[in-house]
Amino acid sequence: MDLITTTAELTSVCARFAKYPVITVDTEFLRETTYYPLLCVIQLASSDEAVAIDTLATGIDLKPFFTLMSNESVLKVFHAARQDIEIIWHQAGIIPHPVFDTQVAAMVLGYGDSIAYDALVERVTGHRPDKTHRFTDWSRRPLTAEQLEYAVADVTHLRDVFAALDADLKKRGRSDWVSEEMEVLTSPKTYDFHPERAWERLKTRVRKPKDLAILMEVAAWREQEAQSRNIPRSRVLKDDAVGDIATHAPASPERLATLRSLPKGFEKSQWGVAIVAAVQRGLARDPHALPKIEKPRNNSNGAATVELLKVLLRMTSERHAVASKVIATVDDLERIAADDEADVGALHGWRRELFGETALALKHGRLALAIEKGRVLLVERT
């Protein structure tokens, strides 16, 4: 194992790794106090060697690493790749491709919803990874030998995990399922966080166009403020406070002062003034130009239908050994209950074949659920 601290060393390493069809990749970063993650260490492994890259080393240029990440001849294997890819996208404006996410593959193979790396390594290889440095401060220098050993173990064990999962996917004919998920994971849209779309990340549900307009403006302001100051969104304004502002529409400092979700005196601060201005912009927006607000389901039996679909989802998950989360979400089920043509993943591709068609048949009474000897079964209705 080597610690790479210079651009020359990195160039040489990446040139060697570019000759392999598959490499494993991991990163160590900090983001508790910043908006953008601080990349501290990169780990790479081929079938023959493993290295750690000190991304904070004085004068090091990471361009050779980014070039390797965009090399179409090399499959990059990650576990829970979204945050790693987000960091690379932010720093270099590229999306690694092609990629393989072992967490997604494990879900497709029935290892459960979003299985952690340590648990997956133990289940696949029988090795129990050392967790000592899981919460270490990776920005501190010098890095210790124990830290480096821990970091590099993440990519060396990942080689064995990938080999086992890849073989199982091919055996079960599910490689295409994972490839379909990778297309979403490697889409720039997944990581392109424009302030204007910040409201989409919020779980706050609004019912009136006026509320939505304010939500959009306040969320966009918060995103811009967090980005410009490089601090977490919650340090600017917590999610519940954004929802509270959207609902109550405080268009003056006096009205803002009445909200219990904000600290006392907040309305007099620079941020308080900016929020009032955002509310006023929201109130001035044309309601007809806003995105459509999803209306509550009118079907009186909708809740019962969703519960039946949940049972079917669990049955499908267990029968085919696929994590239920990767087949459909509760939101998917609610939308299917309301609309046969809902644009949800569960009604497209392999998911429709595995679950979606059966879900629609159950919804329309062509199939029924029954209990026989303590087991829930699907029964065709004539």
Side-chain angles (χ1 to χ4, degrees), residues 105-282:
M107 292 170 69
V108 166
L109 292 169
Y111 284 83
D113 292 342
S114 305
I115 186 170
Y117 170 78
D118 297 340
L120 183 60
V121 169
E122 187 169 357
R123 287 183 61 179
V124 171
T125 71
H127 179 85
R128 184 173 296 178
D130 177 15
K131 302 179 183 179
T132 306
H133 295 284
R134 175 180 287 182
F135 301 110
T136 195
D137 182 353
W138 291 101
S139 67
R140 296 187 65 179
R141 294 295 182 271
L143 295 165
T144 67
E146 291 78 14
Q147 282 179 305
L148 292 174
E149 184 177 351
Y150 168 89
V152 171
D154 281 351
V155 284
T156 53
H157 291 314
L158 198 56
R159 295 183 298 203
D160 298 327
V161 171
F162 165 72
L165 297 184
D166 187 47
D168 201 4
L169 287 168
K170 290 173 179 174
K171 181 180 176 182
R172 299 199 208 179
R174 297 182 181 180
S175 296
D176 288 346
W177 298 10
V178 174
S179 296
E180 190 175 314
E181 295 306 296
M182 294 305 98
E183 290 304 311
V184 176
L185 191 62
T186 56
S187 169
K189 291 182 180 179
T190 304
Y191 308 96
D192 203 2
F193 299 138
H194 287 293
E196 294 76 16
R197 295 178 53 208
W199 66 277
E200 297 173 2
R201 299 168 57 92
L202 294 166
K203 295 181 179 179
T204 302
R205 292 195 174 184
V206 291
R207 298 180 179 178
K208 301 175 183 176
K210 171 183 69 69
D211 299 352
L212 176 59
I214 295 172
L215 182 74
M216 294 172 71
E217 290 290 344
V218 174
W221 167 80
R222 181 181 71 162
E223 199 77 7
Q224 289 171 330
E225 194 69 17
Q227 288 178 354
S228 65
R229 294 175 180 265
N230 195 23
I231 57 176
R233 298 178 186 91
S234 60
R235 292 275 185 95
V236 180
L237 204 62
K238 295 188 181 300
D239 287 358
D240 60 347
V242 176
D244 206 15
I245 292 166
T247 303
H248 291 88
S252 67
E254 293 75 24
R255 289 286 304 279
L256 191 65
T258 65
L259 299 188
R260 296 177 62 183
S261 56
L262 297 176
K264 188 175 182 181
F266 186 87
E267 74 282 356
K268 298 176 183 177
S269 69
Q270 182 180 357
W271 281 353
V273 173
I275 289 172
V276 169
V279 170
Q280 292 171 344
R281 289 196 301 273

Side-chain angles (χ1 to χ4, degrees), residues 19-172:
K19 297 175 182 178
Y20 290 85
V22 179
I23 63 173
T24 53
V25 190
D26 190 28
T27 63
E28 305 297 344
F29 56 88
L30 300 177
R31 73 178 311 165
E32 287 80 4
T33 61
T34 59
Y35 179 90
Y36 298 107
L38 173 63
L39 180 59
C40 301
V41 180
I42 299 169
Q43 306 97 284
L44 298 173
S46 67
S47 57
D48 296 319
E49 67 175 310
V51 300
I53 304 163
D54 183 356
T55 60
L56 301 182
T58 303
I60 194 167
D61 184 349
L62 297 179
K63 186 176 179 180
F65 167 74
F66 296 133
T67 300
L68 178 63
M69 290 298 98
S70 59
N71 188 330
E72 291 288 336
S73 300
V74 180
L75 177 65
K76 278 72 71 174
V77 178
F78 297 84
H79 181 82
R82 189 176 291 260
Q83 289 192 87
D84 300 308
I85 294 175
E86 179 189 343
I87 292 171
I88 295 169
W89 168 254
H90 168 63
Q91 293 221 349
I94 65 165
I95 300 289
H97 193 273
V99 303
F100 182 101
D101 190 329
T102 53
Q103 187 177 70
V104 174
M107 292 170 69
V108 166
L109 292 169
Y111 284 83
D113 292 342
S114 305
I115 186 170
Y117 170 78
D118 297 340
L120 183 60
V121 169
E122 187 169 357
R123 287 183 61 179
V124 171
T125 71
H127 179 85
R128 184 173 296 178
D130 177 15
K131 302 179 183 179
T132 306
H133 295 284
R134 175 180 287 182
F135 301 110
T136 195
D137 182 353
W138 291 101
S139 67
R140 296 187 65 179
R141 294 295 182 271
L143 295 165
T144 67
E146 291 78 14
Q147 282 179 305
L148 292 174
E149 184 177 351
Y150 168 89
V152 171
D154 281 351
V155 284
T156 53
H157 291 314
L158 198 56
R159 295 183 298 203
D160 298 327
V161 171
F162 165 72
L165 297 184
D166 187 47
D168 201 4
L169 287 168
K170 290 173 179 174
K171 181 180 176 182
R172 299 199 208 179

